């Protein structure tokens, strides 16, 4: 089955995942580990690659969140992009700036609508020196 153009960026899906993405950001800044864990798929195949860490499986994710202290910085999101692929899958991407570093942050989350609701099945966060406008 192919995904037709009419199925790309369905308005209601983009709106729903955008709200969830922003709610996730709020939970992240509050260090609400229970809320953050609940956004992720409770499955051994869930994957999160962080700045200096990785979690393979939901149990590893829960253990990581339990050990992470509350952030002592703020984040400003830029260029938030939500791309929906049909009614049940979306990719959320953004760039961010943290108050404690000159590095430039990038974040990607793959969201899937499961029987229990929308869940992140894969996530990646990185921070690098970056100069806007320069491309390889």
């Amino acid at each position: 089955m192919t995904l037709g153009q009419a199925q790309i960026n369905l308005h209601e899906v983009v709106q729903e995942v955008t709200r969830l993405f922003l709610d996730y950001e709020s939970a992240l800044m509050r260090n609400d580990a229970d809320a953050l864990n609940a956004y992720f798929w409770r499955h051994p195949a869930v994957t999160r690659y962080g700045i200096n860490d990785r979690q393979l499986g939901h149990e590893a994710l829960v253990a990581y969140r339990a050990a992470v202290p509350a952030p002592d910085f703020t984040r400003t999101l830029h260029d938030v992009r939500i791309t929906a692929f049909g009614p049940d899958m979306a990719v959320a991407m953004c760039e961010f700036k943290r108050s404690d570093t000159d590095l430039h942050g990038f974040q990607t989350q793959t969201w899937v609508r499961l029987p229990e609701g929308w869940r992140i099945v894969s996530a990646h966060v990185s921070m690098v020196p970056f100069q806007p406008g320069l491309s390889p």
Side-chain angles (χ1 to χ4, degrees):
M1 177 173 98
T2 61
L3 192 62
Q5 191 62 30
Q7 294 291 302
I8 304 295
N9 285 335
L10 294 169
H11 179 74
E12 61 276 5
V13 176
V14 171
Q15 293 296 326
E16 192 171 3
V17 174
T18 298
R19 181 184 52 78
L20 289 166
F21 180 78
L22 295 175
D23 289 348
Y24 176 93
E25 178 69 15
S26 178
L28 182 67
M29 291 292 90
R30 293 189 320 271
N31 199 39
D32 185 341
D34 291 337
L36 292 167
N37 292 335
Y39 283 107
F40 281 85
W41 182 32
R42 293 183 188 273
H43 194 276
V46 72
T47 302
R48 181 188 172 276
Y49 294 127
I51 297 167
N52 292 311
D53 56 271
R54 73 168 189 206
Q55 295 79 53
L56 306 177
H58 197 266
E59 287 183 21
L61 186 72
V62 170
Y64 168 76
R65 287 285 176 218
V68 174
D72 59 354
F73 56 83
T74 59
R75 281 182 16 150
T76 304
L77 302 182
H78 302 279
D79 299 319
V80 174
R81 297 177 57 148
I82 310 296
T83 305
F85 299 92
D88 298 321
M89 185 197 167
V91 178
M93 299 152 283
C94 76
E95 298 179 40
F96 63 87
K97 186 73 180 125
R98 282 180 24 176
S99 61
D100 64 338
T101 181
D102 288 330
L103 295 175
H104 194 86
F106 298 91
Q107 180 173 320
T108 303
Q109 299 171 337
T110 302
W111 290 79
V112 175
R113 188 191 317 259
L114 300 167
E116 61 270 25
W118 284 100
R119 296 294 183 268
I120 300 166
V121 299
S122 174
H124 185 256
V125 180
S126 61
M127 294 185 70
V128 297
F130 181 74
Q131 295 180 8
L134 295 181
S135 297

